[in-house]
Amino acid sequence: MEYDVTIGLEVHCELKSTSKVFSPSPNAYSEKSNTNISVIDLGFPGILPVVNKGVIKKALTVATALNCETPEYMIFDRKNYYYPDLPKGYQITQMHYPVGTNGYLDIYVEDQVKRIYIHDTHLEEDTASLDHYDGYSLIDYNRCGVPLLETVTEPCMHSIDEALSFLESLKRLFLYTDVSDAKTELGQIRCDVNVSLAPKGSKELGVKVEMKNINSFYNVKMALESEIKRQTELLNKGMKIEMETRRYDESTMETYRMRSKVEAVDYKYFIEPNIPPIKLTNELKSEVKESLPELAFSKITRYINEYGLSLVDAKTIAKDKELATYYENIINKGKDPKMVSNWVTTRVLGCLSKDEITISEFNFTEEKMVELLEYIESGKISTKQAKDVFYKCIEENKTPKKVIKESGMEQITDEEEIRKIVLEVLEENSEVAKDYNPEKGRMLDFFIGQTMKKSRGKANPEVATKVLKEELLK
Ligand code: ADP
Ligand code: MG
């Protein structure tokens, strides 16, 4: 039988900040366990959390970028449960009044525009991390209290491709708005993946299975593939899917059961009494809105519509905010968008990946690119020569001007300078020149050849032709 797949995602993102969300300890990665901690993180009796204002602004930034409604007050809730990674016995989170609700994010899935609906985005504290060994486990409280923003989508994605495109786009949004380093390899982005199957065309959604805490987009893909296969096989056998939470195991690339939703925990949520409501003023909201950068989706769309780029090239450039800035700064100097896109998507990116550097570490700056393109535009060097100049500039960390001067490759375009050479050529070949006949193209070619030779290849051929014709007809 054929099934419609439905996917909903809960994406946790560690926000960057100097100190943690409710305590003054540093929010920093540390090789050494239990060093970035305070009594607040450890849940000592009588402690009081103090909210980090900078973090609230970052959460509000994401909510705004996701086109969410935002509440009048920032209010937190207690989610009560016991686990060794949660020393207080409760997690401070947002349940009743999330910082963002009812939003959406437009993304490209292949060449289609798709709107992904956001149920909510809410701010909470990360838990400690547990390292399991043979027969015992160790707790590292460094992660305790790291600001965590959880974004929950509606069940509105219907393929693995859509889910992955959304994750990439959301990660890009975190990077564009500079709220997080968004490094999945450091666990800064982790997701819960919900998936259900229903008979094709059915109006109701199937029973969902949740896969918790997946730490890379590749594993999201693998977990979804395995889970969709498992559910398809069960349904084909006429069996029911049980609402449950499963865990994805990287080594077997399969999911296994953690707990049934029937035994789901009652978290006894109530409003966190130790944090007074914090007003999200209209001034703050408009300040956040106005300081939002143009996001990747809008850039891609603009590059296609205004600059005539292909979707692939537009996506390639907008993938990285710094690269997009590099590109746009060159365009803003009046350079041709398609030509620049060609240089950026092929040669520039080629160099970056070869040297494993980012655009900000690249020594061929925007200014150098503008200079190089001006040499091509004015016909002083050919496109082929420009490529050599480009690589030489990078290798020797020089400007195009310097490289071109040093190698003497600059074309002579000045008419009078070329005329001097032409006159010398004509004098040296005066016998041939006497018999010049404009009908005989080959004779002109001979003189062009001689002129090029005399200028050691530097005379601009068009100018040389024009001057030769003038002089020969005199
Ligand atoms: P729960 O009460 O189990 O936490 P929620 O309704 O809060 O479930 O949804 C949690 C996540 O599961 C959301 O990302 C949502 O999009 C997704 N989800 C809900 N129902 C389904 C479904 N039938 N199929 C796939 N995903 C679903
Ligand atoms: Mg939920």
Side-chain angles (χ1 to χ4, degrees):
M1 214 163 117
E2 294 239 35
Y3 302 100
D4 289 329
V5 172
T6 299
I7 302 166
L9 298 168
E10 298 161 88
V11 186
H12 295 86
C13 173
E14 287 186 356
L15 300 181
K16 60 178 168 190
S17 58
T18 317
S19 55
K20 292 184 178 176
V21 56
F22 301 120
S23 90
S25 24
N27 171 17
Y29 181 75
S30 168
E31 287 291 338
K32 262 189 139 176
S33 308
N34 298 308
T35 47
N36 295 333
I37 54 173
S38 74
V39 288
I40 296 182
D41 310 316
L42 295 175
F44 278 30
I47 45 113
L48 285 173
V50 176
V51 184
N52 182 330
K53 289 251 163 67
V55 168
I56 292 189
K57 199 164 167 185
K58 289 208 163 80
L60 192 60
T61 300
V62 174
T64 310
L66 288 173
N67 306 290
C68 286
E69 293 159 24
T70 53
E72 224 186 307
Y73 289 94
M74 197 73 181
I75 293 172
F76 293 90
D77 294 277
R78 269 190 201 184
K79 177 178 180 178
N80 298 283
Y81 67 97
Y82 174 75
Y83 202 67
D85 66 8
L86 191 70
K88 296 196 296 293
Y90 60 84
Q91 180 193 32
I92 305 179
T93 179
Q94 291 189 299
M95 160 44 190
H96 294 100
Y97 308 98
V99 63
T101 47
N102 295 323
Y104 64 87
L105 181 65
D106 288 332
I107 64 170
Y108 282 96
V109 182
E110 298 288 327
D111 58 349
Q112 302 290 314
V113 174
K114 165 103 188 176
R115 181 161 288 190
I116 306 297
Y117 292 94
I118 306 297
H119 180 275
D120 75 85
T121 185
H122 58 267
L123 183 60
E124 58 192 26
E125 53 182 340
D126 209 343
T127 58
S129 41
L130 296 173
D131 293 315
H132 301 291
Y133 298 90
D134 194 15
Y136 67 101
S137 298
L138 296 177
I139 307 180
D140 178 3
Y141 289 100
N142 281 344
R143 205 179 69 184
C144 233
V146 165
L148 202 60
L149 191 73
E150 177 174 351
T151 303
V152 183
T153 74
E154 297 291 350
C156 64
M157 286 161 274
H158 298 288
S159 70
I160 298 181
D161 252 12
E162 282 182 17
L164 292 176
S165 301
F166 170 73
L167 286 173
E168 289 290 349
S169 301
L170 186 62
K171 174 180 169 169
R172 203 158 301 135
L173 183 145
F174 295 144
L175 289 170
Y176 262 77
T177 53
D178 199 30
V179 300
S180 171
D181 293 327
K183 293 196 169 120
T184 43
E185 67 276 18
L186 293 183
Q188 292 171 342
I189 295 188
R190 312 186 295 266
C191 19
D192 301 343
V193 178
N194 301 271
V195 59
S196 65
L197 262 57
K200 206 163 193 69
S202 119
K203 288 218 172 62
E204 269 159 46
L205 296 181
V207 175
K208 72 157 188 183
V209 167
E210 178 182 29
M211 295 175 283
K212 277 229 171 280
N213 226 345
I214 302 184
N215 57 9
S216 78
F217 296 171
Y218 176 73
N219 283 342
V220 169
K221 175 175 179 299
M222 300 313 282
L224 275 170
E225 275 178 10
S226 137
E227 185 55 24
I228 291 169
K229 184 162 168 275
R230 191 188 68 90
Q231 290 187 25
T232 306
E233 285 167 4
L234 281 178
L235 291 172
N236 280 346
K237 281 189 220 150
M239 292 163 81
K240 283 210 157 62
I241 304 295
E242 197 190 328
M243 180 117 118
E244 62 180 349
T245 302
R246 298 177 74 88
R247 203 170 269 276
Y248 172 70
D249 184 348
E250 262 175 69
S251 54
T252 60
M253 300 204 288
E254 280 175 1
T255 63
Y256 62 90
R257 182 191 181 105
M258 249 171 85
R259 60 171 181 256
S260 159
K261 271 275 179 186
V262 184
E263 359 168 324
V265 214
D266 176 359
Y267 294 114
K268 302 243 175 354
Y269 283 100
F270 62 85
I271 288 186
E272 166 60 49
N274 285 334
I275 303 175
I278 298 160
K279 179 128 177 113
L280 298 176
T281 61
N282 287 336
E283 290 74 44
L284 179 67
K285 288 184 184 180
S286 28
E287 186 196 320
V288 163
K289 192 160 194 171
E290 271 145 37
S291 58
L292 273 189
E294 185 189 23
L295 298 174
F297 179 83
S298 154
K299 281 196 192 295
I300 295 170
T301 312
R302 190 162 61 78
Y303 292 172
I304 296 171
N305 296 340
E306 282 179 30
Y307 296 163
L309 300 197
S310 70
L311 175 65
V312 175
D313 287 347
K315 274 186 179 172
T316 306
I317 294 171
K319 205 177 225 165
D320 172 2
K321 186 185 174 188
E322 270 74 43
L323 187 69
T325 308
Y326 178 87
Y327 173 71
E328 288 180 26
N329 284 344
I330 297 166
I331 303 301
N332 292 339
K333 286 268 153 58
K335 301 289 151 255
D336 177 60
K338 273 193 176 162
M339 184 173 180
V340 181
S341 154
N342 254 330
W343 276 87
V344 170
T345 55
T346 57
R347 279 176 274 287
V348 171
L349 280 180
C351 289
L352 299 188
S353 82
K354 184 174 138 276
D355 295 340
E356 293 180 19
I357 53 170
T358 63
I359 190 77
S360 55
E361 298 163 303
F362 191 43
N363 72 14
F364 200 78
T365 56
E366 296 148 9
E367 292 75 24
K368 289 182 189 174
M369 183 62 92
V370 169
E371 196 177 291
L372 181 64
L373 296 174
E374 269 160 14
Y375 273 102
I376 305 175
E377 280 169 0
S378 64
K380 286 182 182 157
I381 60 172
S382 67
T383 312
K384 194 171 157 296
Q385 286 173 315
K387 285 174 200 166
D388 298 338
V389 174
F390 174 76
Y391 290 113
K392 204 154 189 158
C393 286
I394 294 163
E395 210 168 288
E396 299 174 359
N397 195 15
K398 286 178 181 160
T399 62
K401 190 171 171 183
K402 190 139 198 239
V403 167
I404 289 167
K405 277 255 149 62
E406 283 174 358
S407 63
M409 65 170 63
E410 192 168 352
Q411 283 193 351
I412 306 168
T413 46
D414 183 70
E415 239 184 78
E416 289 323 301
E417 213 171 312
I418 290 180
R419 194 176 304 277
K420 261 194 235 151
I421 302 168
V422 163
L423 289 175
E424 276 175 42
V425 168
L426 291 182
E427 197 171 313
E428 283 162 24
N429 301 281
S430 53
E431 288 306 307
V432 195
K434 264 199 293 197
D435 299 332
Y436 176 67
N437 178 350
E439 303 295 307
K440 289 189 179 154
R442 263 203 283 151
M443 200 180 256
L444 183 63
D445 287 345
F446 165 76
F447 284 113
I448 293 171
Q450 291 300 307
T451 308
M452 294 310 284
K453 199 167 153 198
K454 209 172 190 61
S455 71
R456 272 172 289 131
K458 287 198 272 177
N460 176 298
E462 280 95 60
V463 183
T465 310
K466 177 174 163 270
V467 174
L468 265 169
K469 278 185 183 160
E470 284 169 12
E471 291 300 328
L472 281 166
L473 286 176
K474 267 186 191 165

